[in-house]
Amino acid sequence: MKRGISFEIPNEYGRFLWEVLTPFEITKFIWLSGGEESYLVEDDELGKLLFTDEVNWIEGLTLKELLEDNRYYLIFVDLKAYSKENNPSLIETYRDFFNSDCELVLLVVDSVYVTIYCKDSEKLERLYDNAKIKGFGNLQYITDKNDTRTKLSVW
């Protein structure tokens, strides 16, 4: 069974979260940011934190505007998408994710390594196709057999 996808993005300033999440309906969800380290780019230099340094809930429209309208540099990112109608719970493992109301987990480690878990197989296929079209490197599916991750976080 396909759990998600993994791939590599360039280690440079850009709008890579926006590019990665374009096929996913960002505004239909409320997002949990794990408070990891990434920065807005201001005058071609690192500026303020992209996300607050605390665990934080972000409305989908706010997240969409943040990711679409700004350039940023990603170091570590931990984003989780929840339906607005359900009661969000914290996710630590794939089993937690599978049994929760969380629809998508997006993790970025060391600026380039992206992992996405998505429950909806059609959305997962669109995310895969998008990553392929964008030319992101080392694109592969994460399956029950090859998933070595024990925690769904970047730390």
Side-chain angles (χ1 to χ4, degrees), residues 18 25-31 57-70 84:
W18 172 247
E25 299 155 330
I26 296 171
T27 59
K28 291 188 176 183
F29 298 90
I30 185 166
W31 295 77
W57 291 100
I58 306 169
E59 279 295 323
L61 181 59
T62 302
L63 181 64
K64 177 185 179 288
E65 291 169 350
L66 178 68
L67 301 182
E68 184 179 22
D69 297 343
N70 294 288
K84 292 180 181 180

Side-chain angles (χ1 to χ4, degrees), residues 21-142:
L21 289 172
T22 297
F24 196 77
E25 299 155 330
I26 296 171
T27 59
K28 291 188 176 183
F29 298 90
I30 185 166
W31 295 77
L32 178 64
S33 164
E36 281 63 43
E37 185 179 12
S38 294
Y39 298 92
L40 290 167
V41 174
E42 301 166 356
D43 298 323
D44 232 20
E45 293 184 9
L46 298 183
K48 299 177 196 169
L49 288 171
L50 179 61
F51 304 106
T52 64
D53 57 357
E54 302 171 356
V55 173
N56 188 23
W57 291 100
I58 306 169
E59 279 295 323
L61 181 59
T62 302
L63 181 64
K64 177 185 179 288
E65 291 169 350
L66 178 68
L67 301 182
E68 184 179 22
D69 297 343
N70 294 288
R71 288 179 60 219
Y72 35 86
Y73 182 66
L74 307 173
I75 299 174
F76 292 100
V77 176
D78 183 337
L79 288 173
K80 296 177 174 77
Y82 294 84
S83 171
K84 292 180 181 180
E85 295 83 38
N86 294 321
N87 294 323
S89 57
L90 295 179
I91 306 294
E92 290 189 22
T93 65
Y94 180 77
R95 177 171 280 165
D96 294 342
F97 169 68
F98 187 79
N99 294 320
S100 75
D101 294 327
C102 183
E103 295 295 322
L104 179 134
V105 174
L106 184 147
L107 305 170
V108 178
V109 176
D110 292 339
S111 303
V112 297
Y113 303 105
V114 178
T115 304
I116 299 174
Y117 290 87
C118 183
K119 287 182 181 173
D120 184 310
S121 60
E122 288 180 27
K123 289 178 183 170
L124 180 60
E125 292 299 324
R126 287 197 301 267
L127 290 162
Y128 181 93
D129 291 342
N130 179 64
K132 188 174 183 178
I133 290 167
K134 301 281 187 199
F136 297 140
N138 295 321
L139 176 63
Q140 65 180 351
Y141 282 105
I142 299 167

